Amino acid sequence: MSPSTTIGLLGGGQLGMMLCESASPLNVPIAVLDAENAPAKQINSNKHHVTGSFKDPAKIRELAANCDVLTVEVEHIDTHVLEEIATHGVQVSAADGSTTTKKVAVHPSWKTLRLIQNKYEQKDYLGKQGIPIAEQLALDSGASMLASMKEASAKFGFPWMLKSRKDSYDGRGNLKISSEADLEHAVSEFGSLSCYAEKWVPFEIELSVIVIRTEDDEGNTKRLIPYPAVETIHEDNICSRVFMPPRNVASDVSEQAQKVACSVVEKLWGRGVFAVELFFTKEGKVVVNEIAPRPHNSGHHLIEAVPYMSQYKAQLTAILDGPLPEELQPHVSSSIMINILGGANADSHDRLVEKAKSMYANNKAVYLHLYGKESKPSRKIGHITLTGLGTIAELEEFAQPLIKIAEEIRQ
Ligand code: ATP
Ligand code: MG
Ligand code: MG
């Protein structure tokens, strides 16, 4: 595709904003479908933007009519309209009032988005392909939910994880079931949702690997290029910090995780970047938790750590079928990403921002990213990346004042 290809983006939050930041120096126009003041629109003026919800099929068709290829920053969308646009096309009106139909490619494929939207189906599919996943069990909803949860308790023992099949993010849609006593509360909270049970994974650490996937016009995988694995820390189900390389594990764990992540992404469809969230167990096994078919919080640090090919630039390059590097070698030996989450007050995070601005040191750097979002408790409103030329332990020590303030904001 030519450099003037217009990309249509469903969703204009911080991921979309950083995609636009990397598209700007490449002269790639991005038209965003989201509310008027969405972060991605605040930094990207474009006559093709559409105001509305990325859940509205009519608005998605309007965006597609303005674009050459569609992509997403969120997977919770209507994949039927994306299938229709990719396979049958969308109506485009010309200035003289005539209409034509044009097909618009969707990357990643609507097939991938549909599969991933349903976490149970996602992992059922991966498990059948021989990918290591936690055991899972479909649950009934409504009147027989309690009985099917009792079966899950007998099968898995306590604790186990109750998960909504759809629409979950930041742990909204997960409930840890620690004993029989939790079951009734679970029915009242989750009874109206379609749910499944997942065996508890007593992991040592959590890892994430972002993989770039390209394919030919027939949909066959062309290339799978993994970034180095990172360690992710989740607190109250929300990612709070990311470490590259992972701390306190052997260096070959990253390679082991990259292999599993590539075998997962090979089984999907479409071009772009895919994040594979993984558990690393005490027995040294890598188990797949879930996939995000888009740029991901665990890859924010790549803007500075792999500056020639951040995950955002990779998303654009893969979608446009441009040239990609053989391997993704960071320019630094360590990096840490700290999420800035909204606190109790609208200005609770100001202390963290000011501290980040004040930190300078030899061989270490601090980068602040604010998303232009209103602060709400636990909302992701920015992040800080630190990079270093020494060990991850040294960088972690340097980052301590920021980690401490971020923890205090969360209280
Ligand atoms: P995201 O914001 O990443 O999309 P999500 O709402 O889809 O999150 P999950 O990734 O399913 O939620 O789970 C959130 C966190 O809960 C995981 O990162 C992990 O810390 C914990 N968790 C999830 N499933 C299990 C499990 N089976 N065993 C132990 N911990 C788990
Ligand atoms: Mg998820
Ligand atoms: Mg997750």
Side-chain angles (χ1 to χ4, degrees):
M1 284 188 195
S2 78
S4 62
T5 301
T6 297
I7 295 178
L9 174 65
L10 276 73
Q14 65 265 24
L15 300 173
M17 176 181 139
M18 289 182 266
L19 192 74
C20 291
E21 281 169 355
S22 73
S24 171
L26 302 173
N27 254 357
V28 175
I30 300 190
V32 179
L33 166 56
D34 208 332
E36 200 60 74
N37 63 346
K41 288 186 178 175
Q42 291 175 25
I43 60 144
N44 167 21
S45 155
N46 190 310
K47 66 177 192 294
H48 295 310
H49 286 328
V50 176
T51 303
S53 165
F54 49 79
K55 297 196 178 211
D56 180 346
K59 293 289 177 181
I60 297 175
R61 286 189 199 98
E62 188 183 333
L63 180 75
N66 290 343
C67 298
D68 305 293
V69 53
L70 287 181
T71 191
V72 299
E73 70 143 23
V74 54
E75 53 276 20
H76 307 299
I77 40 166
D78 179 345
T79 56
H80 294 283
V81 65
L82 294 181
E83 178 182 6
E84 167 198 301
I85 290 166
T87 50
H88 305 296
V90 64
Q91 286 222 324
V92 185
S93 308
D96 64 3
S98 63
T99 57
T100 50
T101 302
K102 77 166 178 182
K103 284 188 190 173
V104 180
V106 178
H107 287 294
S109 164
W110 54 268
K111 265 171 78 177
T112 297
L113 296 167
R114 188 172 297 164
L115 178 72
I116 283 175
Q117 267 178 5
N118 186 321
K119 275 184 173 176
Y120 178 83
E121 301 286 342
Q122 175 193 146
K123 279 184 273 191
D124 188 53
Y125 171 75
L126 294 177
K128 285 179 179 148
Q129 309 276 334
I131 306 284
I133 53 156
E135 258 186 273
Q136 54 182 21
L137 187 69
L139 293 175
D140 295 342
S141 47
S144 48
M145 184 176 183
L146 188 62
S148 71
M149 285 202 299
K150 284 185 178 164
E151 274 172 43
S153 306
K155 187 171 156 79
F156 296 147
F158 296 110
W160 55 271
M161 193 69 111
L162 172 65
K163 293 194 177 188
S164 165
R165 291 174 186 238
K166 286 193 162 184
D167 294 325
S168 349
Y169 67 99
D170 289 346
R172 282 169 242 208
N174 284 2
L175 190 64
K176 182 179 178 180
I177 306 292
S178 299
S179 72
E180 187 94 20
D182 291 339
L183 296 182
E184 274 195 27
H185 167 68
V187 172
S188 67
E189 289 276 308
F190 282 63
S192 61
L193 303 171
S194 172
C195 294
Y196 71 99
E198 197 172 286
K199 192 169 174 173
W200 191 259
V201 181
F203 57 81
E204 181 96 15
I205 56 169
E206 288 189 82
L207 300 170
S208 169
V209 176
I210 293 177
V211 180
I212 310 174
R213 181 183 196 277
T214 61
E215 64 178 24
D216 62 21
D217 290 336
E218 278 73 53
N220 304 305
T221 311
K222 258 198 327 201
R223 298 188 62 192
L224 295 168
I225 318 169
Y227 287 95
V230 295
E231 175 187 353
T232 57
I233 307 290
H234 291 83
E235 291 169 310
D236 301 330
N237 281 301
I238 301 180
C239 174
S240 54
R241 295 186 285 288
V242 170
F243 295 88
M244 183 198 75
R247 299 163 304 164
N248 308 318
V249 290
S251 56
D252 62 356
V253 169
S254 181
E255 258 172 63
Q256 192 186 340
Q258 283 177 320
K259 275 197 193 125
V260 173
C262 286
S263 67
V264 167
V265 176
E266 189 178 10
K267 308 285 184 307
L268 303 175
W269 308 273
R271 301 185 187 127
V273 296
F274 299 77
V276 184
E277 296 179 12
L278 305 157
F279 299 126
F280 183 67
T281 70
K282 291 185 178 61
E283 297 76 39
K285 260 189 78 185
V286 170
V287 176
V288 174
N289 174 26
E290 64 163 344
I291 308 160
R294 50 168 170 76
H296 191 246
N297 199 172
S298 66
H300 289 350
H301 69 113
L302 299 167
I303 295 172
E304 291 88 8
V306 187
Y308 58 94
M309 191 51 72
S310 73
Q311 62 166 346
Y312 301 102
K313 188 169 169 191
Q315 175 76 351
L316 298 170
T317 309
I319 289 172
L320 300 175
D321 209 17
L324 286 159
E326 276 307 308
E327 55 173 30
L328 299 159
Q329 202 61 44
H331 277 189
V332 292
S333 52
S334 52
S335 63
I336 298 174
M337 191 283 314
I338 301 168
N339 269 335
I340 303 175
L341 303 177
N345 304 314
D347 61 356
S348 297
H349 59 282
D350 285 357
R351 236 159 30 95
L352 180 58
V353 169
E354 290 314 313
K355 182 70 191 167
K357 284 182 187 166
S358 73
M359 287 173 69
Y360 299 99
N362 280 341
N363 290 336
K364 297 181 190 71
V366 182
Y367 303 91
L368 178 65
H369 296 256
L370 291 170
Y371 307 149
K373 283 163 77 171
E374 189 195 334
S375 173
K376 289 186 188 159
S378 298
R379 191 180 202 200
K380 290 173 182 167
I381 53 175
H383 75 266
I384 301 160
T385 295
L386 299 98
T387 60
L389 301 174
T391 64
I392 188 66
E394 270 166 31
L395 191 63
E396 188 180 3
E397 201 184 324
F398 177 66
Q400 264 322 310
L402 296 174
I403 293 173
K404 187 166 168 285
I405 300 172
E407 291 284 291
E408 287 164 7
I409 296 171
R410 261 187 355 101
Q411 302 307 316

